[in-house]
Amino acid sequence: MSVVNIPDAAGKILTVQEIDGRLYPRFDPYVLRNVPSLKLRDDDVILCGFPKSGTHWLFEIGRLLLHGKLHTDVKPKESLFADMVPESELNEVDSPRIINTHVRFDRLPSDVKTKNLKILYVRRNPKDLVVSYYNHTRKLENYHYDGEFKDYLPLFSKGLAYGSWFDYVLEWEKIIANNQELSILDVTYEDLKEDPIKEIRRVSDFLGVQRSEDFIEEIKDFCNFSTMKDRFKDKMGITDGHNIFYRAGEVGDWKNWFTVAQNEWFDQLYRQKMANSKLKFKFTLNED
């Protein structure tokens, strides 16, 4: 493990760490290295996604569906975050568990393949994601970053903590296409936003739980972004608006951040990187 200081165009430093040739946030290296060897239970669900793709949102939906009632006394996502939480602590959480991680597919627990566990995979359009990731990075002290968005954008395009977003989603596209034996549900942030009832029902069916339409509606309201943001703020005792996990939650917020020139540059980069991909992302919704 080694600390890596990455300078942006203005000389501002973003601090990450390198473990076995890959970049990560400065979490406990032992915990990160141990993710592939985690022992999983037969009823575990694995939640995967690049940072700021909507994993908190999908985790809340998944846990409510699995437990069949609205409550907040179940362990939160942070308590089941395999990248930070030691296995001994994960083992203290009652089933059913949703183990969540941002690591690449080849670093997932090997039990994912041998036990054929259910995998929830969430992805989000990269323009909204980079805006969210930038704000998240500035708020997290272990990154030590206070640079401007215009200088962060080129760094993101090359890959920072957890590597390149492009590599991440392209790899998952191949995994889903070439591993039909794996139980993977591909969910997009934008579809959840546009038609939450339909997507929550998809997740419910995938998890194999029978939930009423009334309960699906209740989950939609309980997991509304503003409601979740307030609930998290109350739980953490946040009084100054310094919320590192919930910010805007909108599709198309990138338009408030990208200049015309930045948008044209990113569009060209996207076309190059995604030239051989069949993935589709919504950068705005019809309601916008």
Side-chain angles (χ1 to χ4, degrees), residues 89-186:
E89 294 182 25
L90 293 174
N91 289 338
E92 295 175 359
V93 180
D94 294 335
S95 295
R97 304 182 304 178
I98 302 181
I99 305 294
N100 58 97
T101 178
H102 298 311
V103 301
R104 295 280 287 272
F105 183 82
D106 66 341
R107 298 295 296 171
L108 290 180
S110 58
D111 279 355
V112 168
K113 296 102 171 179
T114 59
K115 291 178 178 290
N116 195 24
L117 301 179
K118 294 183 183 297
I119 302 173
L120 290 172
Y121 165 57
V122 61
R123 54 188 173 89
R124 185 183 189 184
N125 86 70
K127 292 182 183 179
D128 281 324
L129 186 145
V130 66
V131 169
S132 183
Y133 207 5
Y134 165 72
N135 284 280
H136 183 74
T137 300
R138 281 177 54 88
K139 291 175 182 176
L140 280 177
E141 293 181 0
N142 66 0
Y143 284 116
H144 297 160
Y145 186 68
D146 63 351
E148 298 182 31
F149 179 71
K150 65 180 179 64
D151 299 315
Y152 179 84
L153 185 59
L155 295 184
F156 170 84
S157 68
K158 298 175 182 177
L160 294 170
Y162 291 107
S164 162
W165 174 89
F166 294 102
D167 291 344
Y168 189 95
V169 298
L170 289 172
E171 180 181 65
W172 270 100
E173 182 181 16
K174 292 180 180 178
I175 294 299
I176 293 172
N178 299 328
N179 295 271
Q180 299 298 318
E181 74 282 3
L182 296 179
S183 299
I184 305 174
L185 183 67
D186 180 10

Side-chain angles (χ1 to χ4, degrees), residues 10-27:
K12 297 288 186 178
I13 298 297
L14 190 151
T15 303
V16 294
Q17 67 178 332
E18 182 180 347
I19 300 176
D20 301 331
R22 295 186 183 178
L23 299 181
Y24 298 95
R26 291 190 302 154
F27 301 152

Side-chain angles (χ1 to χ4, degrees), residues 24 38 46 55-56 58 144 162 179 265 268 272 276:
Y24 298 95
L38 287 178
I46 310 302
T55 51
H56 273 83
L58 190 53
H144 297 160
Y162 291 107
N179 295 271
W265 173 82
Q268 181 177 5
Q272 292 172 350
N276 298 318

Side-chain angles (χ1 to χ4, degrees), residues 38 41 48 50 70 88 90 128 145 183 188 193 195 201 207 228 240 247 254-255 272 287:
L38 287 178
R41 302 170 189 167
C48 304
F50 197 82
L70 302 183
S88 59
L90 293 174
D128 281 324
Y145 186 68
S183 299
T188 73
K193 191 76 175 180
D195 195 343
R201 171 54 65 192
L207 294 177
M228 288 178 56
D240 61 357
R247 192 184 61 86
W254 62 268
K255 291 182 286 186
Q272 292 172 350
E287 63 187 24

